[in-house]
Every structure is written in structure tokens, then in C-alpha cells.
Amino acid sequence: MSQTVDIQGTDLFDWQRRVYNDVHNLDKKYYWIASSRQIGKTVLLQNLILDFSINNEGSSIGVVSYTFKQVKKIYDTIENFLRETPLYKHSNSTTLEIKLNNNSVIQFSTSKGGNSLRGNTFTHLLLDELAFFDESLWTEVLQPQLIAKGQKCVGFSTPFGKNFFFHEWLKGNTEDGQHISYKFDYTVNPYISNDEIEIIEKNTTRNSFRQEYLAEFISGGVVFEGFTKLLTVDNWEEPDENKTYYAGIDLANKQDFTVLTILDQSGKVVFMYRDNNTYYESIVSKLSYYLNMYKPETYLEVNNIGDVIFEQLQKSYPRVKPFTTSKNSKQDLIQNLILTIEQERLALPTEKLFSPLKNEMEAYTFKFNPQSNTVQYGHPTGFHDDCVDSLALASKMMQERQKSGEYVIMSN
């Protein structure tokens, strides 16, 4: 009979110890943890990996994280720990696999490479930032791998709207006996200071704070709170010589998209163009065509390839100005867009007309930097923010040109 190993060396917070003990002692298969940022979920996940693999001879452990950087960090920590024990047998940093002398195997992967896990059968599955996975990866690949021999599945995530993770989490409130759910906000980490929290609350929207630090499941936009009620534009408008137009251009970089957004003087989006073509000549040709149609005052982001395109575009359309994006200017740009949306100064395309904008605005998030006490806005890994940035640039141009500072509020 194998001897149970008590893993020493990690002092767990109360919430971590509670979940760790429940996974040990409760006869349930699924454990769902909705958590705040920065409360120590990775430490708990690592302890569970070690416990599952060491104390379950011949077990097959699957660990799936949203990003490669995160899963590699977890792999390195586990590999370094086990290498110093008699249990260590072999590891492969290319395939991210660790084998133990008790015949247990730990396999690490990202959600983007999750199809490489197809066909495996796991006894234990640990999922990091599950809410950001594609739903099909969970329903078609990962969950079926627990049917035959699955004993425990533990899913961690900061909420990301009311998506499939939310629906799995809700099952913990049922009486089916298979699921248990938890929700832990920032207060469970004794090392998060009140000063940090005050800065975060001050510099983010109410919904951002509720989702990221109170671990609440929020419908609709988080950074751009309430934007869905502005999705009222159901068709593009032809240019009108009696109207004034404003535009913002975010240029493609590698796998991103070039996006042009055009507003009229009331703040209504009258046209959006989006393309992932990275050939300079093609980008300039398309942008020049649409700009000369509407003749808007235009901001173009000149970071990366922007300088070259700006110079070429200005030859055929002189009414374009450069905008250089830095950490500070990006923060000001997005905070200005947040305020503009909160005050309902824009009318945006419906999901049916132009779904990429809605998708980006729903996914848009922020990170708090405790070293600089600043909030940085952007998109989660695997998502885009080209439409958001283009809209923000167009909105900024409109506000700068409307010297009176007054807006025509859109109404239905």
C-alpha cells in the first residue's frame, strides 16, 4: 500500500486551505473557484498538482492554462520541486510532461493548444483561467476526458461575463452531488493593501472592479460599462456633404487588424472598415479610398509601421494627423472613451452589423501595476483591441475639433 505524502513548505491562506481540504475530503468530482486577481490561486493549483500526482499512484494529471507563459511558469515550479525528490523520473520541457516513479504523469498545455490533449484520459484535471477558454475546448475535448477515469476536476478563473464558466459554477448551488463552487474576493489575501485597492477603484469602472477584484459575474461590458445600450446603428451611412466627420485608424501589426472608424458630428458611427492585410500599398489604398469618400479629420496611430503608412497616406489624404501611443497616452485615450460611453455620447453599430467591436468591448480589461500604482488597459491574450483603439481615436478627434465641448446626445 502506498504511503500518503504530506506536502510541506507552503503556508496556505485560509481560503486556500479550505479548498485544498475540501478537494481531499469531499466526495465531489467538480470544484469551481471564481476568484479575484492576486489572491494566490496559482499557489493552490501547484499544491493540488503535487498532491494529485504524488498521492495517487499511476494517476494522469492534466494542467491547462490560458497562456503559455503561465503554464510554463507552473511547469517549471513543479519540475524544480519534483527533481529534488526520489519521486522524480523524467521530464520534457518541450512537450511539458513530467513522469514520476510511481507511474503518475503530469501533462501541461495551453488552452490554445488544447486539441493536442484530444484522446487522452485524465484522472485529475486542473484548469487555470477557465472562463477565457473556448467553450468548445471544455465541452468537446476536456470534459469528455474525465468520463472514463476522472476523479477530480478543479477549475480556477476570474469571471469573464456570464459565459460557460458561470454556468458550470452555478452547478455548485445545485443538489446533484457532483459540483461545489466557491467565490473569493481580494479580501482573502492579507497582503493586498487598502491603498492599492483605493487606486484601482478610483481608476477603473465600477463593473471592472466588481469583476476583477470582487469576483462577480457581470453581464455586458466591464471596462466599458453599459455600452450595449449604445448598439443602435443597424446600417452604414453614405457620405453626406452637410455633415462633418471624424475618424480614427489603428494599424495592423502581425496578427492584428487595421481598423478605420468614422463618426459624424453627433457621435454616430457611420462606417467601420477592418482588414488584416499587412501590405503597405494595399492598406494605404483602402484607407485613402474611404477617407476621401467621407473627408473626416483623422487620427492615425503611428507606432510600429505607422510612420511609413502615415507618410504615404498623407500624400493622398492630407487631413490625417499622427497619434503616438505610449502607456500614458493609451490610458488617457481609453479613459476618455470610457467617460464618453458612460455619458452616452456615441451611437455604435449593432452586433449584427459589425460584431468585432462588441466582442472587443466586452473582452476589454485592465491590469494594475503595484510598482507604479497605475492601471493599464488592454485586451486579454488571444483577443484584439484594434476596433476599440480606432473608436477611441475617432472619439478623441471629434472632441478636439468640437471646440464648444458640446455633443448631440443620440436618442432612439
Side-chain angles (χ1 to χ4, degrees), residues 224 227 231 236 259 261 269 272 274 337 347-351 354-363 384-392:
F224 301 109
F227 83 94
L231 302 176
W236 301 136
V259 180
T261 301
V269 176
M272 292 189 74
R274 180 176 185 257
L337 181 59
L348 308 176
T350 61
E351 182 176 15
F354 193 79
S355 62
L357 178 62
K358 178 178 182 290
N359 294 339
E360 287 187 15
M361 295 184 79
E362 284 184 325
H384 298 281
D385 62 359
D386 318 286
C387 296
V388 169
D389 288 350
S390 174
L391 176 64

Side-chain angles (χ1 to χ4, degrees), residues 251-253 258 278 280 283 301-310:
L251 295 172
N253 181 27
T258 290
T278 56
Y280 293 175
I283 294 174
E301 185 194 25
V302 294
N303 301 56
N304 301 314
I305 64 170
D307 286 330
V308 175
I309 292 181
F310 172 73

Side-chain angles (χ1 to χ4, degrees), residues 41-269:
K41 64 179 177 60
T42 302
V43 170
L44 174 58
L45 186 148
Q46 291 167 348
N47 275 263
L48 289 171
I49 294 171
L50 292 170
D51 176 66
F52 289 158
S53 59
I54 292 173
N55 292 318
N56 296 275
E57 184 176 343
S59 59
S60 177
I61 317 297
V63 182
V64 187
S65 289
Y66 182 59
T67 67
F68 177 80
K69 180 180 180 181
Q70 180 65 5
V71 79
K72 184 60 165 60
K73 180 179 179 181
I74 297 170
Y75 167 86
D76 288 340
T77 300
I78 299 299
E79 199 267 352
N80 289 336
F81 177 89
L82 289 173
R83 187 179 285 274
E84 301 302 319
T85 73
L87 286 162
Y88 176 82
K89 182 178 181 179
H90 174 74
S91 61
N92 188 320
S93 60
T94 301
T95 61
L96 299 185
E97 185 177 87
I98 302 173
K99 295 183 178 180
L100 279 63
N101 282 319
N102 68 353
N103 294 319
S104 290
V105 178
I106 313 170
Q107 188 171 351
F108 300 80
S109 179
T110 71
S111 62
K112 299 303 178 183
N115 283 328
S116 65
L117 299 174
R118 192 181 292 272
N120 287 343
T121 298
F122 292 117
T123 57
H124 301 80
L125 192 57
L126 297 113
L127 309 170
D128 183 26
E129 293 295 4
L130 176 60
F132 295 86
F133 290 17
D134 288 337
E135 182 174 0
S136 60
L137 176 63
W138 166 243
T139 58
E140 299 174 15
V141 179
L142 298 174
Q143 190 175 29
Q145 293 170 348
L146 294 167
I147 294 175
K149 298 181 180 180
Q151 299 175 27
K152 301 283 184 178
C153 174
V154 186
F156 300 81
S157 192
T158 303
F160 187 49
K162 293 186 176 180
N163 63 0
F164 76 97
F165 173 66
F166 170 67
H167 295 294
E168 295 294 335
W169 183 85
L170 283 179
K171 293 177 182 178
N173 299 322
T174 65
E175 298 179 356
D176 68 352
Q178 289 288 302
H179 301 257
I180 184 170
S181 297
Y182 310 83
K183 182 164 77 73
F184 301 108
D185 64 23
Y186 73 90
T187 60
V188 299
N189 183 349
Y191 297 109
I192 294 182
S193 70
N194 289 330
D195 290 341
E196 284 186 18
I197 294 301
E198 288 178 3
I199 293 170
I200 294 168
E201 277 196 278
K202 182 179 179 181
N203 288 280
T204 61
T205 65
R206 180 172 59 91
N207 276 357
S208 297
F209 184 77
R210 287 172 60 197
Q211 176 172 283
E212 304 292 322
Y213 286 87
L214 298 181
E216 295 183 12
F217 293 91
I218 305 297
S219 295
V222 175
V223 170
F224 301 109
E225 185 174 347
F227 83 94
T228 53
K229 60 185 175 183
L230 304 181
L231 302 176
T232 58
V233 178
D234 53 15
N235 61 274
W236 301 136
E237 289 189 4
E238 294 293 325
D240 184 340
E241 62 181 13
N242 296 315
K243 287 188 174 183
T244 302
Y245 296 105
Y246 311 94
I249 301 171
D250 186 77
L251 295 172
N253 181 27
K254 295 181 180 179
Q255 297 181 356
D256 292 334
F257 289 80
T258 290
V259 180
L260 164 67
T261 301
I262 300 178
L263 306 174
D264 67 14
Q265 70 266 23
S266 71
K268 179 181 180 180
V269 176

